[in-house]
Amino acid sequence: MLELKNISYEIKQSKQKILDQVSLRIEPGTLTVITGPNGSGKSTLAQIIMGIKTPTSGQIIFGGGDITKDDITARAKKGISFSFQQPVKFQGLTVYELLNIANGELFSPVEAGQVLEQVGLNPDDYLKREINTKLSGGELKRIEIASILARKDAKLLIFDEPEAGIDLWSFQDLTKLFQKIRCEYPDKSLVIISHQEKILKIADEIIILENGSIAKKGAPAQIISEIKEAKP
Amino acid sequence: MKLSKEETQIFCEVITGGSDTTQETLSQLVAPESAYNFRVNGKSISRHSTENINIVPKSDGQGLDVYIAPDTKHETVHIPVAISVTGHKETVYNDFHIGENAEVVIIAGCGIYNCGGVDSVHDGIHRFDVGKGANITYIEKHYGFGQGRGGKILNPTTEVHLKAGAIAHLELEQIKGVDSTIRNTVAKLEQNAKLTVKERLMTHGRQIAESSYDIQLKGKDSTADLESRSIAQDYSTQTFKSTITATAKSRGHSACDAIIMDQAKVFALPALNAEIKDAELIHEAAIGKLASDQITKLMTLGLTQAQAESHIINGFLK
C-alpha cells in the first residue's frame, strides 16, 4: 500500500538531518506502530507521508503510484488521512461541520453522532459545539480522531501520538477503537506514532526510529521485550 | 410596488441574507404581521404599522420615529434602505422609542448599488431609547455592489440608552462591497442593563472601515460584552477603537479578533476605563494571519487550499 524509499529530511538553515535514508513498506490491512525517543524523527516521517513536510530526497509510493510530488489535498483524495498530535482549533467551525468536511458529503446528524460515539463523546453535547478554546485538550483530541473516522474513503490512517492529551477516555478505549477499525475495515492500514505499550502490543509490526534512522523493526513480542531489556 | 432588480437584491440581502433574490414584491420579503418601512433613494415607498408598533415619518422626511408599545412581544420591525441612483447622498435619523418590557427584533440595514462615477452615501443615525425591562435584538447589515467608479459609502451611528433591566443584542454585519464606512456606536447602561454586540466585518480591494465603540456602564450590575471579528483582505484598511467606561460596580468585556491577509492593514485600539474599584473590565485583542495549521488540517481532509481558506473565513465570520 505504502512504500518509502530512502526518505531523508534536512532542515535547510541548520543543515540538521532529521531523517536519514528511511525505507519501509506498509502492507494493506496492517497496523504499524512507529516508536522511538523524542526527536528521533517520528512525527516528521508521518508528516512527510501526508505531504505536510517535503522530503529533501527519496520517493513515496502509495497505491502503486509515485505521490512524492503530490500536495496534501491530492494525497488526502487518494486515501491518506492524518490525525494531528496537537489538534487544531477553529473559531466558528462546529464539530458537525468538521465531520461533514471529513466525510466529503453531508452526514445526517445521526451518522455524524455515530462517529462521535466511537470516540466516547455524546453527540447531543458536542455536534453543535465550536472547535475552539472552550473545549479541553482531551475533547479536542477525541474530535480530531473522530475527523479521521469520518473519512470514509481513507485507506491509510496515520495517528500522531493519539494517546497524547486523552483524558477520561482511557487508553483502553483507544486501543479498542483501533482494533475495531481493523475488524470493520480489514483493507485499511493504520500507522500509529506512539510510546504506549498498550498500543505497541496490538501492532503487526513495530518500527523503532533513532536519530532519524530505523534502528529496529519486528513483531511486538520481540520488540517490546527488547525495549524492556534496554530499560531495566 | 415593483422594485428594480438591484433594489430587490439589496432588500433580499438585508432582510433574508441573500437567500432568495428572485422575489419581486415587498410584501413577499417580510411577514405580513411585521411593521416595516422600505426606503428607496431617499423616499419611503412602503410603510406598515401594527397595533403595537407605530412608524411615524419625521416632518422633514429624513427619518422615522418608531414607537413600540410597552409589553409588545415577539414582533419584528423592518426598516431597510436601498440606494440605486448613483450620486445619491442622504442622512437619515431613525429614533426608536421602546416601551417597558417590550421584546422585539429590529432589522435594519442599507444596500448601495452604484454603477456610476459619483459617490453614493448613506449616513444612518439610529437612536434607541430602551425602556425598563425591555429586550431588543437589533440586526444591521450593510451591502454594496456595482462596478462603477463611484464609492459606496455607509456611515452608521448607533446610540443605545438602556434603562434599568433593559437588554439589547446588537448584530452588526458588513461583508465586502462597501468602499468606506465609519461606524460609531455609543451605549449607556443603567442598573442591571445588559448589552451584547456582535460585529462582523470583511473588507477587500481598497476599502476603508473604521469602527468605534463608546460603552458606558453607569448603573450598578450592568454588563456589556462586545465581540468584533473582522477579515481584512487585499489593500483594505480597518480601524477598531473601543472604550468601556465603568462608573458603577459592573462588568465589561470586549474581544476583537482580526485576520489580516494580502497587503491589508489593521489598527486596533481597545481601551478600558475603570472609575470605580468594583468594576470588572476585560479586553482581549488579536490580529493575525490565517492560521496555517487550520489550512493544513482542512487540506488533510481533502479540501484545496482555497476551499480551506473559504471554510475558515466563513466560520470566523459566523
Side-chain angles (χ1 to χ4, degrees), chain B residues 209-268:
Chain B
E210 189 175 319
S211 190
S212 298
Y213 290 87
D214 175 8
I215 297 172
Q216 299 167 28
L217 301 168
K218 290 175 168 291
K220 185 170 173 273
D221 295 325
S222 55
T223 62
D225 191 0
L226 163 61
E227 182 203 58
S228 169
R229 287 188 192 171
S230 70
I231 294 181
Q233 295 180 325
D234 303 331
Y235 291 87
S236 63
T237 305
Q238 295 180 4
T239 301
F240 174 89
K241 294 176 186 172
S242 72
T243 305
I244 302 180
T245 300
T247 51
K249 176 183 175 291
S250 56
R251 282 187 292 121
H253 172 250
S254 70
C256 65
D257 276 325
I259 292 177
I260 183 166
M261 301 170 74
D262 311 313
Q263 307 300 314
K265 289 178 182 168
V266 178
F267 175 79

Side-chain angles (χ1 to χ4, degrees), chain B:
Chain B
M1 177 178 277
K2 290 276 185 182
L3 297 168
S4 72
K5 187 172 139 236
E6 290 79 19
E7 289 155 7
T8 305
Q9 189 174 337
I10 288 169
F11 286 136
C12 284
E13 283 289 341
V14 171
I15 295 170
T16 68
S19 59
D20 186 354
T21 53
T22 61
Q23 300 281 5
E24 286 185 347
T25 60
L26 296 178
S27 58
Q28 289 172 286
L29 287 168
V30 294
E33 63 272 21
S34 301
Y36 57 81
N37 184 83
F38 283 76
R39 182 183 173 98
V40 177
N41 298 322
K43 288 190 180 128
S44 172
I45 58 159
S46 185
R47 182 181 307 126
H48 177 245
S49 294
T50 67
E51 191 181 334
N52 295 318
I53 301 174
N54 191 19
I55 302 180
V56 181
K58 289 188 186 292
S59 54
D60 62 1
Q62 294 310 303
L64 304 165
D65 279 293
V66 179
Y67 296 94
I68 297 170
D71 298 310
T72 300
K73 301 289 180 196
H74 312 303
E75 290 201 35
T76 304
V77 186
H78 290 279
I79 48 159
V81 171
I83 295 175
S84 59
V85 174
T86 187
H88 181 82
K89 293 182 174 66
E90 64 181 14
T91 302
V92 178
Y93 293 86
N94 292 329
D95 292 316
F96 297 83
H97 312 271
I98 297 145
E100 292 184 5
N101 300 312
E103 289 179 19
V104 289
V105 176
I106 299 159
I107 300 173
C110 178
I112 298 179
Y113 168 70
N114 194 351
C115 61
V118 187
D119 290 351
S120 294
V121 183
H122 172 83
D123 291 351
I125 294 101
H126 287 180
R127 293 178 290 221
F128 297 87
D129 187 29
V130 187
K132 285 181 185 173
N135 185 337
I136 65 159
T137 298
Y138 173 65
I139 299 167
E140 182 186 278
K141 286 183 184 171
H142 287 164
Y143 179 62
F145 66 114
Q147 297 301 319
R149 281 184 296 107
K152 298 169 281 286
I153 300 168
L154 287 163
N155 298 313
T157 296
T158 308
E159 295 175 15
V160 184
H161 179 197
L162 293 173
K163 292 189 176 151
I167 297 171
H169 307 280
L170 311 185
E171 295 182 17
L172 313 169
E173 181 183 305
Q174 182 175 307
I175 308 298
K176 291 188 167 181
V178 176
D179 294 308
S180 169
T181 187
I182 297 174
R183 173 188 294 286
N184 273 304
T185 306
V186 179
K188 290 176 188 168
L189 284 73
E190 294 185 8
Q191 187 172 347
N192 284 317
K194 184 178 173 186
L195 172 73
T196 59
V197 183
K198 181 175 148 183
E199 183 187 49
R200 296 292 182 264
L201 174 66
M202 184 170 180
T203 52
H204 66 139
R206 294 188 179 273
Q207 296 169 346
I208 295 166
E210 189 175 319
S211 190
S212 298
Y213 290 87
D214 175 8
I215 297 172
Q216 299 167 28
L217 301 168
K218 290 175 168 291
K220 185 170 173 273
D221 295 325
S222 55
T223 62
D225 191 0
L226 163 61
E227 182 203 58
S228 169
R229 287 188 192 171
S230 70
I231 294 181
Q233 295 180 325
D234 303 331
Y235 291 87
S236 63
T237 305
Q238 295 180 4
T239 301
F240 174 89
K241 294 176 186 172
S242 72
T243 305
I244 302 180
T245 300
T247 51
K249 176 183 175 291
S250 56
R251 282 187 292 121
H253 172 250
S254 70
C256 65
D257 276 325
I259 292 177
I260 183 166
M261 301 170 74
D262 311 313
Q263 307 300 314
K265 289 178 182 168
V266 178
F267 175 79
L269 184 66
L272 302 175
N273 178 19
E275 298 188 4
I276 183 167
K277 69 176 168 51
D278 290 328
E280 292 178 42
L281 303 179
I282 298 170
H283 180 76
E284 302 168 72
I287 302 172
K289 61 183 181 182
L290 267 179
S292 60
D293 59 344
Q294 293 180 346
I295 296 169
T296 303
K297 169 64 189 170
L298 295 185
M299 288 175 74
T300 67
L301 300 178
L303 298 187
T304 63
Q305 183 169 342
Q307 289 169 331
E309 288 180 3
S310 170
H311 269 281
I312 294 163
I313 288 170
N314 290 339
F316 182 74
L317 291 175
K318 263 197 299 197

Side-chain angles (χ1 to χ4, degrees), chain A residues 110-217:
Chain A
V110 173
E111 289 170 317
Q114 286 164 350
V115 176
L116 278 189
E117 282 168 356
Q118 289 192 57
V119 293
L121 294 177
N122 182 350
D124 295 339
D125 295 336
Y126 287 93
L127 269 184
K128 291 179 183 167
R129 292 277 293 273
E130 275 189 21
I131 308 165
N132 59 22
T133 49
K134 288 178 183 165
L135 291 166
S136 73
E139 289 170 322
L140 288 166
K141 191 72 181 196
R142 287 193 256 174
I143 291 161
E144 174 68 15
I145 293 170
S147 75
I148 304 307
L149 302 181
R151 290 207 50 209
K152 61 179 187 301
D153 296 333
K155 299 184 182 90
L156 173 66
L157 284 63
I158 305 166
F159 294 88
D160 190 359
E161 300 209 18
E163 71 274 13
I166 291 286
D167 45 13
L168 298 171
W169 200 52
S170 66
F171 293 141
Q172 199 67 38
D173 291 320
L174 191 62
T175 51
K176 273 186 197 161
L177 177 65
F178 291 137
Q179 285 170 317
K180 190 171 167 227
I181 295 171
R182 298 198 66 186
C183 291
E184 289 183 11
Y185 306 100
D187 295 336
K188 291 185 193 278
S189 301
L190 284 82
V191 173
I192 305 172
I193 313 287
S194 180
H195 297 286
Q196 286 298 322
E197 190 178 337
K198 274 181 184 164
I199 293 175
L200 265 62
K201 276 181 177 170
I202 61 167
D204 295 309
E205 183 175 55
I206 297 171
I207 295 172
I208 300 183
L209 272 187
E210 279 178 14
N211 298 319
S213 298
I214 295 177
K216 276 193 192 83
K217 59 180 170 181

Side-chain angles (χ1 to χ4, degrees), chain A residues 6-10 17 19-22 48 54-58:
Chain A
N6 304 314
I7 292 291
S8 294
Y9 181 79
E10 191 177 277
K17 217 162 211 182
L19 292 172
D20 188 12
Q21 300 283 319
V22 173
I48 282 174
T54 307
T56 315
S57 61

